[in-house]
Amino acid sequence: MENLSIILNVIIIVCLVIGFFLIKNLIPSYFSEKGKNLATKEDIEEITTKVKTVESQINILTGNILEYSTLKRQYIIDYFAAYNNWERTITSANLDYSTSCAELNRTAIERIYNAKHSYNLKEGEIELFIEDRDFYNIRKELTIKTLKYQHEFEKVAYEIESLFLEKGENGAHYEDLKKVLAEYREYSVSELKEIYKERNKLTSKLTEYIKQMMEKTNDSNI
């Protein structure tokens, strides 16, 4: 019986020693490794979050660039369309020299005014997107020449109307009308050449802008 008690005491002592060893060495090591794993997991989550944030910012930036380029391209196209409409409205307008010339010519002039007003609006809008001095110089010269051409059309229209007012419907001097119209045609041929020169410069400049934007868009998509 005494021997059994001694054996049990020895077993208890051995268990206590083993337990002490586990507590002192294995368990701290386990929790240390567990902590490392937890820290690694948190680090990965943090890095992943940062990567996603950067990707999101890049996507927003790229999207904004593409959206701005699309908007700018559309405004450039709209601007040129407005100028083209103004110019074509003038050049396609026919000076009437019948007894109804006053009404018909004033209607033509009103259409020209409307086209010019639309162009003025697009001029203001395009300034939000283009700050190139060369563009403004080209635009300035072209606008001045086209406006001068418009004024000449108006002047001749009123000259024709005045001839009818002075001479009456049956007394208008057709030689005077022919002279006025011949001078206008001669002026038109000369002035339109200058307008088309400036117009070609504008077309080249706007085409250059659009090509540059397309290249930037392609680079953003890569």
Side-chain angles (χ1 to χ4, degrees):
M1 190 71 178
E2 184 179 352
N3 290 334
L4 180 60
S5 178
I6 293 171
I7 293 171
L8 289 174
N9 288 332
V10 170
I11 292 172
I12 291 171
I13 291 171
V14 171
C15 289
L16 290 173
V17 170
I18 293 173
F20 175 77
F21 175 78
L22 290 173
I23 293 172
K24 182 178 180 181
N25 294 290
L26 297 182
I27 292 177
S29 176
Y30 169 79
F31 282 109
S32 176
E33 189 63 31
K34 190 71 174 179
K36 288 180 181 179
N37 292 337
L38 182 61
T40 302
K41 182 179 179 182
E42 290 175 348
D43 289 342
I44 291 173
E45 289 178 352
E46 182 180 356
I47 292 170
T48 302
T49 300
K50 288 182 178 180
V51 169
K52 288 182 178 179
T53 301
V54 172
E55 287 178 348
S56 176
Q57 291 173 346
I58 291 173
N59 289 334
I60 291 172
L61 179 60
T62 303
N64 287 338
I65 291 173
L66 295 177
E67 184 178 350
Y68 176 81
S69 296
T70 301
L71 190 62
K72 181 176 180 179
R73 183 167 61 248
Q74 188 58 53
Y75 271 84
I76 288 175
I77 292 171
D78 290 347
Y79 164 76
F80 184 75
Y83 171 76
N84 193 58
N85 180 57
W86 175 36
E87 178 202 297
R88 291 291 187 267
T89 302
I90 303 171
T91 56
S92 64
N94 293 318
L95 285 164
D96 189 85
Y97 48 90
S98 68
T99 55
S100 303
C101 65
E103 179 183 353
L104 294 175
N105 287 338
R106 288 183 183 184
T107 299
I109 290 172
E110 184 178 355
R111 286 198 296 268
I112 293 171
Y113 280 174
N114 290 336
K116 177 61 167 62
H117 177 68
S118 297
Y119 172 69
N120 289 344
L121 295 177
K122 295 303 176 182
E123 265 194 318
E125 292 176 356
I126 201 66
E127 291 178 358
L128 297 172
F129 296 92
I130 298 179
E131 298 179 355
D132 187 351
R133 180 59 56 185
D134 288 342
F135 166 74
Y136 284 110
N137 288 336
I138 294 170
R139 188 191 73 175
K140 176 184 173 183
E141 289 300 317
L142 182 58
T143 301
I144 289 174
K145 289 182 182 299
T146 308
L147 190 59
K148 183 180 176 184
Y149 188 85
Q150 174 183 323
H151 289 165
E152 186 66 21
F153 180 90
E154 294 175 40
K155 187 186 81 171
V156 175
Y158 290 126
E159 285 180 2
I160 294 171
E161 183 179 346
S162 296
L163 285 173
F164 276 93
L165 289 175
E166 290 174 6
K167 307 298 181 179
E169 292 184 1
N170 298 320
H173 290 180
Y174 286 99
E175 289 301 320
D176 293 336
L177 286 173
K178 286 171 62 177
K179 181 181 177 182
V180 168
L181 292 172
E183 290 175 351
Y184 177 71
R185 279 193 290 269
E186 184 179 350
Y187 167 84
S188 295
V189 172
S190 174
E191 193 62 23
L192 284 175
K193 287 181 180 179
E194 296 301 316
I195 288 176
Y196 290 151
K197 284 181 183 178
E198 296 300 324
R199 187 175 186 272
N200 289 337
K201 292 179 184 178
L202 179 67
T203 304
S204 297
K205 198 66 179 175
L206 296 181
T207 301
E208 178 185 329
Y209 292 142
I210 292 176
K211 285 182 178 178
Q212 289 173 354
M213 284 186 290
M214 291 179 67
E215 290 173 359
K216 289 181 180 179
T217 300
N218 292 334
D219 291 341
S220 298
N221 288 329
I222 295 175

